[in-house]
Each structure stands twice: as C-alpha cells, then as structure tokens.
Amino acid sequence: MKKLYIVLIPVMCMTMVSHSNGEIVSGTPLKVGTDDGRGPLAMPVIQSFPVGTAYISSSAGADLFVRGRGGSGGLYLYRWKAMDPSGTPVFSVPVPVSGLFMDSGSIFQTLDRVVHGVWLTKSVLVHTVFDADNLKFTEKERVSLEDLDLPDPSNVTVLLNPDGSVEVILEVSGGIKGVRRHYPGRNWSEDYDPFDGAGIWRGNLSYCCLYAISLPGLLQGPVKNSRLVSKTKFEVLFTMQQLTVVNLGRERGRDLVTGSLFGDFHYYHNSASVGIRFEQKQYVVDRSETVIRHPSIWPSVVAWPNPNSGLSDLIAGGEGAVYYYKFSGQFTSDGKPVYADPVAVLVEKADLYGGSLPVVNVVDWNGDGILDIVTGQSEGRILYFQNIGTDALPRFLNGIPLEAGGYPIFIQPGYAGDIQGPGEARWGYVCPTVVDWDQDGDLDIVMSDSTARHTVYINSGTSRTPKLEQGHPIYCDGLDMHGMWRVRPAAGKLGNRMAYIQVDADDKFHLYWRIDNYNLEDGGQLRLDNGELIGCSNRYAGGTGRCKIHLADWDQDGVKDLIVATAKWNSIPNRESGYPTPMLTDAKAMILFMKNVGTEEKPVFRHPVPFKHKGKVLYPGGKHSCSASVSALGGGKGPNLIIGNEVGQLMIFKREDLTW
C-alpha cells in the first residue's frame, strides 16, 4: 500500500511584513498563506530535536521543548494551544529558553509539577530545574560518572521509581560488528577513499546499547549498580539519538523508546515495577505492522501524553520538520506497539518552509497564471507550494510532495550512493530545475541529487494538471550523466536550443545541448571572457559541488546570464580569486552574478560578482548551501531574486534593493 507522509514544514525566524501600501519588505521570509496561518513545526536551524514535554501553560495539553542544531541553535519552548480538527497538536510561536543545557539531555516533569532537565556532558550528569517565570534552567547538582565503566555515554534519560529512587538510562558505545576497517583521508580531503574495490565501505559500522545506574534520589549520590540493561551491546546502528520513557498502558507504564540515525524507533518493554528489566528490543510499527521509518534522518523522539487517553503518543524531529505519531493503544501479537503514520506537528504564525537546504524554483506549476514555488530539499523530496494570492502579493499554501509515476518523489542514496558513506544514506539533497524540457508547453523537472546522477521527470499531463512520469536517467555519449554531487543543473533555452549546464567530473562548469528527452550532446566546458575555465570547488571529495546554477537574463539585455548560489566551500571561478573562498574572509553561502558577454549560442561569462542587498553582501543565512530563482514574484520594477537559505526560509529580494 502506497504511503504519503505529510511533509509540510515551516521555520520561525523573521516574519513577512507588508507596508500599509501593500508592498512586501525585501529580504524577509514568506509566511504561510492559509487563513489560520498554521504550518508544520521546525526551528530556524537545519535540525530540530525534541527533548521533552511538560504541563506548564495548561493542564489540558503538554508543552514541548525543542533544541536546534546548526545556525542559531538553542532551546525553545512551544506552548500547547489546541488539537487541530485532524487530531494533530498545535503549538504557539516558540520562546527561547536560557540557562544551562547541553546538546544531550532529557526534560521531564515530576508529580509535584517541577520540570527537570538532566544533561550529559562528557562523564558528568548535570541536574537542572526549570523556572517557568523566567524561562530558564538553573543548575541544582552534578554527578560524576568518571569512576564507572561506561564506554562513551552519549544520550541520557531518567526513569523514576515508585519509592523515590532513580534509574539513569544511558546510551553508550557498544562496539564494532565484523572486521575493524579504516579508510584513508578525511571526508573532504584529496586522498579520501571511502569504498574498496568490492564496493564495501572502508569505515566501521558501530553500534550502541543501553546501560543504567541507580541513584537514591533525583541525581543524589552515591552512584551504584552500573550495568548493561539492553540484551546485547549491538542494539542500534550508530546512535539512538534520544531516549524517552513511555506510558503505553497497563503494565507498560515504564517502558522506553529510542530514536536512531536512520529513522527506526526502538521499543524496550520494562517488566520491572521498580528498577529496570528490559525485554528484548522491539520496533515501533504502523497499522500494517511494518517497522516505522521516520520521514527524515536523525529523529530525536519524546513521549507526548495524549490529552484524552494520557498514554504516550510520540513527537519526533531531526532533519527538517517535527512529526506526531498517535498511539493506537494496540500491540502486535509479539508485543510491538502500533502507531499511526506521522503527520507534521503544527505551529501558529508559521513561516513558509521549503525543507532544509531548499532548492527554489518559481514557476506557474498549476497553469493558473499565478507564480508558485517548487523546491527540492535535503530530505529527498520535491515540494509544491501553491500561490493563492497574486504575483505581486503572494500567499502560499504549505508544501505538498510531488509524485512521479504515481508515487512521491523520494531520493535516498542508501549504503553506497552517498560519497560520504552509509552515515548519510538518508540525505537526498534533491536539486531540481523546473523547465519545459521537452518544449510541449508544460513543465517538466530535470535534477541532480546526493548521488550526483541526473534525472528527468517528463510531464505527460497538461499545464493545468501536471502528471510526472517516473524518473529517467539523462545520458551523454550513451553513459549516464555524472558530475559533482549536490549541484542544481541549469536548464533553459539558449538561442533556439535547450541547454543543460552542470559541474562536470573535472569540477568545471560544462554546457550540454538537448538531443531528446533523455540524451545530451557535449557543448564544451564554459569559459570566462579571459579564456579561463570556470571552476567550482575549494575542497575535495564531500566538499566539492554543492552550488546551484540558474539560467536567466538578469540584466535584461536579451542574453541569458548565470545566477550561481554557493556553499561556503565553493571557489568560483578558481581557487585564487573565487567566491566565497578565498575572496571573502567571512565566507558564507551567497549568490553570484555571472554576466554573459558572449551570445546565447556561444556563451562567455565575466568573473562572478556577489549580489549586495542594500549595499551589503547578500548572505541568505548559513554555510551549507542556498539557492536562487529569478522571477516577477513580489512585484516591483523588474525581476526579483527569490532565495532559499539552508534552514528552509524562502525570501523575496526586490530588484531595486540589489546591486551586482
């Protein structure tokens, strides 16, 4: 049975503001355009990790604590507001939390309604208490783990016993399965060689397991009874990410659920009424009794008490949005808990969110004469945002996943498809260009991704009712097109021919010409007006590629130019005078203009220059990547730049505020 997860994902940072005359403020993120303004919950960072729940603002529904990794990071409190008519929890605009907290920790509430945070830093447990009036965690005490035999503790949660004693449960390193391997070089070095001649990753597949220690009270010493509480030392591959105590009903009120790197949730039934006696690891499954696989990589999971039953639903987030799983109240015959499919947790006054590391296209996708947005993103999907406003004053609905061949487009590189190894098996890094590739009057999609393969999705529907066919490889000289990874290819008419520009295996910008839907012929590497080839990268291996190329007549002289969105580690057009590195000491992801001083049939480009917004170099935010599209969206005096930054914000930069 086909599954279609709801992938609607916003962030919260700046807001889209309109002046009294109706004009849009340049460079501020677009908001969700629905009447209620609700969109899925995601922080203004690449990864959003729930770390705990507590009844603070209301006894009717638990509030949620979420921390971020990357960008501004930090810890935020989302206050519960209501249950959406669909049965999804809705939270208010988040507020930042201060005080002492670390990346690894667990937030929970005791029966006296005190909210606690227990954090792990190296070999020390730190107990904090939350001050709701001042939105601050204050340290109470510390417990050292240095004298215990705990191999590399990395995640922690607390199980309270009925007698007041405490079990501290820790994720620790379990070891390596199979032969210990080693690969030369770092993942961005010139000698990096991750796979051997048999196609086997040269690195290690490390596992983790569960240990526990007992305390007489909440972080009160002495520490005693350090022991392995999982059945084996090889429980979960790489990491459990987060541990959470769950209440799943009668005789299952002291159980444990963990996250994982790859998206499985692991369940441990605790048959002890005091202390810990975990049974063999099980999986959390869906209604078809299939192991649930979270929509994105690295999910951190917390128990969220259902307002009606009091039993533990799950809220989980990692790369991108935060999702909600409702507990069915049922178990399989062998004891696996059954949960509903994930839906995005909702937040009020949401920013429109294109997914992490979005690759933005502005096109009229549904043929109604109004410009919409289509984005690729790091999770591996392509999202469509319908504009229910106008081009000048857009209002966008939350994104929905596009399908091809009747199934959602979902690129996952797997074990050997990502050049940085199996640890990135679930990062798709989809980089689409939406264009009328077959010149039949409707929009198709050409793209590359984390595998560096190139694919075309032909629209066999119409301009009003698009219907994408299954993806098909793009060939040149009979071989699958291949080049640097995570590059958005530019595609469009140059003169009377359809052009395709990517970064080739020599790390150079390269022009190809369309022969038919699936085949290209070589048009040669592109050059500057001084004859120099146009290079891309300042690093090797995983540090290569990553730029997003867009073909458009930006300066309105009748000849199409290149707009190139970079990562911090690009060096375009060379490593001596390239952008962002080494030309800018504060290098971040940025947007470059490359004027075509040749013709469309024989393009030649000037040295790139960075766009400036109101006199300052335009940094959309972050370092991993950004993207740009040229269109009339937002109105004004000419085509504008529509930009996506690494945390998923989509922004309009008006032409009159830009210099280049």
Side-chain angles (χ1 to χ4, degrees):
M1 184 172 110
K2 179 175 71 172
K3 290 187 180 180
L4 180 60
Y5 295 135
I6 298 176
V7 191
L8 316 173
I9 336 172
V11 239
M12 62 204 172
C13 243
M14 301 173 285
T15 57
M16 191 69 179
V17 181
S18 294
H19 293 303
S20 58
N21 61 6
E23 291 185 359
I24 290 171
V25 177
S26 181
T28 55
L30 293 160
K31 302 291 288 183
V32 171
T34 58
D35 291 338
D36 60 16
R38 292 175 178 174
L41 184 157
M43 290 181 64
V45 293
I46 297 177
Q47 295 156 348
S48 301
F49 296 130
V51 289
T53 62
Y55 294 95
I56 299 171
S57 56
S58 170
S59 59
D63 301 327
L64 179 67
F65 288 92
V66 184
R67 68 175 176 86
R69 180 181 296 170
S72 58
L75 182 65
Y76 288 81
L77 173 64
Y78 290 78
R79 300 183 185 275
W80 180 81
K81 295 293 292 186
M83 298 299 286
D84 185 77
S86 66
T88 304
V90 180
F91 294 91
S92 64
V93 174
V95 291
V97 173
S98 65
L100 182 64
F101 51 86
M102 291 88 177
D103 277 349
S104 177
S106 182
I107 296 172
F108 58 94
Q109 192 168 30
T110 46
L111 292 176
D112 57 5
R113 300 187 70 83
V114 175
V115 178
H116 305 265
V118 173
W119 311 96
L120 180 64
T121 171
K122 295 182 180 179
S123 57
V124 176
L125 289 175
V126 181
H127 176 208
T128 62
V129 172
F130 184 60
D131 178 350
D133 293 331
N134 295 304
L135 297 172
K136 182 177 181 179
F137 276 99
T138 303
E139 181 175 345
K140 299 295 290 184
E141 54 260 324
R142 295 188 172 212
V143 172
S144 174
L145 307 178
E146 288 185 358
D147 296 333
L148 303 178
D149 183 20
L150 293 173
D152 300 320
S154 56
N155 281 297
V156 61
T157 195
V158 171
L159 175 64
L160 304 175
N161 289 318
D163 62 2
S165 62
V166 169
E167 309 294 338
V168 178
I169 307 171
L170 296 155
E171 174 197 339
V172 303
S173 174
I176 307 299
K177 273 190 179 181
V179 178
R180 184 172 292 275
R181 301 174 182 273
H182 173 72
Y183 54 83
R186 298 175 63 84
N187 63 343
W188 284 8
S189 66
E190 191 170 9
D191 60 348
Y192 180 58
D193 189 14
F195 296 96
D196 66 18
I200 303 301
W201 187 48
R202 296 181 188 271
N204 296 311
L205 295 178
S206 59
Y207 285 76
C208 56
C209 58
L210 295 171
Y211 269 63
I213 58 174
S214 300
L215 298 173
L218 188 53
L219 256 63
Q220 299 173 2
V223 176
K224 58 182 180 179
N225 196 21
S226 170
R227 74 277 190 197
L228 176 72
V229 291
S230 55
K231 292 293 185 183
T232 74
K233 290 189 175 182
F234 304 98
E235 293 288 297
V236 177
L237 183 59
F238 289 129
T239 178
M240 295 179 178
Q241 192 58 41
Q242 181 78 21
L243 317 175
T244 188
V245 176
V246 295
N247 171 20
L248 301 185
R250 185 178 178 183
E251 298 181 354
R252 292 182 182 267
R254 295 164 44 80
D255 297 348
L256 187 78
V257 169
T258 84
S260 69
L261 177 66
F262 297 119
D264 299 336
F265 298 120
H266 305 274
Y267 168 66
Y268 294 87
H269 172 49
N270 181 13
S271 59
S273 58
V274 177
I276 297 173
R277 188 165 59 247
F278 285 144
E279 296 183 357
Q280 185 171 341
K281 179 193 74 177
Q282 295 273 27
Y283 289 93
V284 175
V285 299
D286 62 21
R287 295 186 186 276
S288 67
E289 301 192 4
T290 301
V291 173
I292 284 176
R293 191 169 173 84
H294 191 69
S296 62
I297 197 168
W298 254 345
S300 171
V301 61
V302 297
W304 189 75
N306 185 281
N308 295 319
S309 69
L311 300 181
S312 294
D313 298 332
L314 300 177
I315 290 180
E319 182 94 358
V322 174
Y323 288 84
Y324 168 65
Y325 296 81
K326 184 177 181 180
F327 180 46
S328 69
Q330 300 175 337
F331 293 82
T332 63
S333 59
D334 58 350
K336 299 182 183 74
V338 178
Y339 279 80
D341 288 340
V343 294
V345 173
L346 297 174
V347 66
E348 296 182 324
K349 300 179 181 178
D351 289 349
L352 201 67
Y353 182 63
S356 58
L357 280 62
V359 180
V360 63
N361 295 261
V362 179
V363 293
D364 180 10
W365 179 253
N366 62 355
D368 64 357
I370 303 171
L371 291 170
D372 310 302
I373 291 177
V374 175
T375 70
Q377 30 91 307
S378 67
E379 297 163 52
R381 299 173 178 84
I382 299 178
L383 305 181
Y384 160 52
F385 300 81
Q386 183 182 355
N387 183 0
I388 58 172
T390 65
D391 289 352
L393 290 173
R395 289 178 57 205
F396 290 99
L397 302 181
N398 287 300
I400 59 174
L402 289 183
E403 296 187 353
Y407 291 87
I409 297 170
F410 190 28
I411 305 301
Q412 300 278 267
Y415 172 84
D418 189 296
I419 62 176
Q420 296 192 141
E424 298 211 7
R426 296 208 56 204
W427 268 297
Y429 298 126
V430 172
C431 302
T433 291
V434 183
V435 64
D436 185 4
W437 178 247
D438 57 8
Q439 295 294 281
D440 66 351
D442 55 39
L443 293 172
D444 314 294
I445 295 177
V446 293
M447 72 176 205
S448 189
D449 53 46
S450 62
T451 68
R453 294 177 298 204
H454 292 253
T455 307
V456 58
Y457 295 89
I458 295 297
N459 181 2
S460 62
T462 68
S463 60
R464 295 302 300 266
T465 55
K467 181 182 179 182
L468 297 175
E469 295 300 308
Q470 186 175 353
H472 193 288
I474 297 174
Y475 307 108
C476 182
D477 295 330
L479 182 66
D480 296 29
M481 173 69 70
H482 201 86
M484 296 294 120
W485 76 324
R486 297 169 63 173
V487 171
R488 182 243 193 118
K493 293 290 286 293
L494 285 177
N496 294 320
R497 304 181 70 184
M498 183 61 70
Y500 192 89
I501 300 171
Q502 68 130 339
V503 179
D504 66 17
D506 296 328
D507 199 40
K508 306 299 183 186
F509 281 42
H510 202 127
L511 170 65
Y512 301 85
W513 298 105
R514 177 185 178 275
I515 299 173
D516 56 37
N517 287 350
Y518 310 131
N519 291 276
L520 303 173
E521 64 180 2
D522 194 343
Q525 292 174 322
L526 293 174
R527 294 180 181 270
L528 298 179
D529 52 4
N530 64 3
E532 177 187 348
L533 296 174
I534 303 170
C536 173
S537 307
N538 190 52
R539 295 195 180 187
Y540 301 96
T544 57
R546 298 171 179 255
C547 68
K548 313 297 183 270
I549 313 171
H550 181 58
L551 191 62
D553 180 11
W554 173 256
D555 58 6
Q556 301 291 282
D557 65 355
V559 180
K560 293 186 182 69
D561 313 297
L562 291 182
I563 308 296
V564 184
T566 78
K568 173 181 178 179
W569 306 281
N570 288 131
S571 188
I572 300 170
N574 57 54
R575 297 187 180 186
E576 291 73 42
S577 62
Y579 287 100
T581 303
M583 293 303 291
L584 299 174
T585 55
D586 58 342
K588 305 180 183 75
M590 64 188 310
I591 315 295
L592 303 176
F593 172 56
M594 298 185 69
K595 179 177 175 60
N596 183 358
V597 294
T599 65
E600 294 210 339
E601 292 77 8
K602 294 183 179 180
V604 177
F605 298 92
R606 283 187 183 159
H607 193 286
V609 292
F611 277 94
K612 293 184 178 181
H613 181 242
K614 298 182 177 179
K616 296 182 179 180
V617 173
L618 198 170
Y619 292 129
K623 61 184 181 179
H624 288 87
S625 74
C626 60
S627 63
S629 185
V630 175
S631 84
L633 198 66
K637 298 178 181 179
N640 303 315
L641 281 182
I642 292 76
I643 294 175
N645 64 16
E646 69 171 26
V647 303
Q649 294 168 323
L650 306 176
M651 299 167 282
I652 297 173
F653 287 81
K654 287 199 168 185
R655 187 180 191 86
E656 52 263 37
D657 295 322
L658 298 171
T659 52
W660 55 91

